[in-house]
Amino acid sequence: VRAIVGLIGLSDPVVIVSGLLILSAGLYMTITVWGWQTGWINVALVTIVLLATLGVAVIESRRKAIAKLVKEAADGPLTMPLEERIHDPVLGIALNTLAGLLLGIIFLMTNKPALDGSILAIVIAGMLGFASSLPLWRGLVLRGKTMPKDKPLT
């Protein structure tokens, strides 16, 4: 767990720089080639803002909580609080939904549908990402575990 958490932490700068490069290239192409009246571009940009918000508000705070618990944990079996955070269904839902929305953006970029088709594609992609995380909840129920309510992430 330490190695994985460490690698994820090291990847943060790469994710930020690559995201900014992709966004910059997309904005450049929008301004010089496509224009702002193109429906799929507008839907993709709104989705990117949604992804950034989801990443910062949900995923990053939980990742930092896991990293803190990993740093404090002794070698050996996982502690119960660490195991609960690793198997946090909200984190799983956020990650799977993010992946679905990213695939939705790729669909928009390759197929370039009209505005209504773009909205439909992103909604379906988000729903498929969300649906793919439902087994996480089922796994918790089968193990008889629930996430503590009102438990702080830090």
Side-chain angles (χ1 to χ4, degrees):
V1 173
R2 285 189 215 288
I4 293 171
V5 168
L7 287 173
I8 292 171
L10 289 174
S11 71
D12 277 351
V14 174
V15 169
I16 292 169
V17 169
S18 62
L20 290 174
L21 284 173
I22 290 170
L23 186 59
S24 298
L27 290 173
Y28 174 78
M29 287 176 36
T30 298
I31 293 168
T32 60
V33 179
W34 290 96
W36 293 104
Q37 71 282 1
T38 309
W40 71 267
I41 291 175
N42 296 326
V43 172
L45 286 173
V46 168
T47 306
I48 288 170
V49 170
L50 177 68
L51 291 176
T53 304
L54 178 68
V56 171
V58 178
I59 297 169
E60 188 62 16
S61 61
R62 284 171 167 74
R63 186 195 68 79
K64 286 181 179 178
I66 291 170
K68 181 181 177 192
L69 289 171
V70 164
K71 188 176 179 182
E72 296 169 353
D75 289 339
L78 297 178
T79 63
M80 187 56 69
L82 179 56
E83 187 175 341
E84 288 174 348
R85 289 292 170 210
I86 289 172
H87 296 290
D88 179 0
V90 174
L91 177 61
I93 286 172
L95 289 169
N96 286 15
T97 302
L98 185 135
L101 290 172
L102 284 173
L103 289 173
I105 291 172
I106 292 169
F107 175 83
L108 297 183
M109 292 168 58
T110 56
N111 291 285
K112 299 168 182 44
L115 179 62
D116 54 349
S118 298
I119 293 170
L120 181 63
I122 286 297
V123 168
I124 290 172
M127 289 172 43
L128 289 173
F130 177 83
S132 71
S133 67
L134 292 179
L136 299 172
W137 288 93
R138 185 171 185 271
L140 282 177
V141 171
L142 290 176
R143 289 193 304 263
K145 297 180 180 178
T146 59
M147 280 305 296
K149 295 178 180 38
D150 303 320
K151 187 170 184 181
L153 293 176
T154 58

